Amino acid sequence: MITSKDSSDNGCIANTCVQVGAAPTQLAISCQMGNLTREIIEKTGVFNVSVLTDDVPYETITHFGFQSGRDVDKFADSSATRRSHNGLLYLTDHTKAMFSCKVISKTDLGSHMMFVGEVTESKVLGEGTPCTYAHYHKAIKPKN
């Protein structure tokens, strides 16, 4: 998920994005409560989703998932991005599709905040199979 506040882009890796409505299309995502991306989505009411492919490098997962935007500019050295109509970035490498969403509801789940967003823009970006959480654990995440 990618969002922006005060011209500062931020993104994180989420293990779930699911379609929850049609006409209009709606997606649900969840963010950990302590996550900067969650704070920014709550303040701005918009987010983008980049659907990663199953060949995404582990380094992409660690870059966006295992460090905080409070400590590092996650997009400082990234040229594999574009901006959607809402002004937010989305990833283009190892990405099947992108969705721009406007938040229409949120639900406090205790450890996470679930956002439901109405899709305002979407694009198919490439070939490949979307990466699932199960595939990440089976084939991408290093074995200890």
Side-chain angles (χ1 to χ4, degrees), residues 123-135:
K123 294 179 187 176
V124 174
L125 299 173
E127 299 297 316
T129 303
C131 186
T132 64
Y133 193 55
H135 178 79

Side-chain angles (χ1 to χ4, degrees), residues 22-37:
T25 303
Q26 298 170 12
L27 302 179
I29 60 168
S30 64
C31 296
Q32 291 180 353
M33 284 300 208
N35 191 300
L36 178 61
T37 300

Side-chain angles (χ1 to χ4, degrees), residues 62-133:
T62 60
H63 182 76
F64 286 98
F66 298 146
Q67 58 184 349
S68 174
R70 290 182 179 86
D71 303 323
V72 64
D73 179 351
K74 295 182 184 182
F75 292 97
D77 299 321
S78 181
S79 61
T81 60
R82 291 194 189 115
R83 289 203 184 268
S84 60
H85 74 90
N86 64 9
L88 302 181
L89 290 173
Y90 60 91
L91 300 178
T92 56
D93 284 356
H94 304 285
T95 304
K96 175 74 175 178
M98 65 75 65
F99 298 93
S100 294
C101 297
K102 176 182 76 174
V103 175
I104 59 171
S105 71
K106 64 181 184 176
T107 303
D108 185 333
L109 303 172
S111 63
H112 288 67
M113 181 67 71
M114 181 176 65
F115 297 99
V116 174
E118 181 178 321
V119 174
T120 58
E121 180 182 9
S122 61
K123 294 179 187 176
V124 174
L125 299 173
E127 299 297 316
T129 303
C131 186
T132 64
Y133 193 55

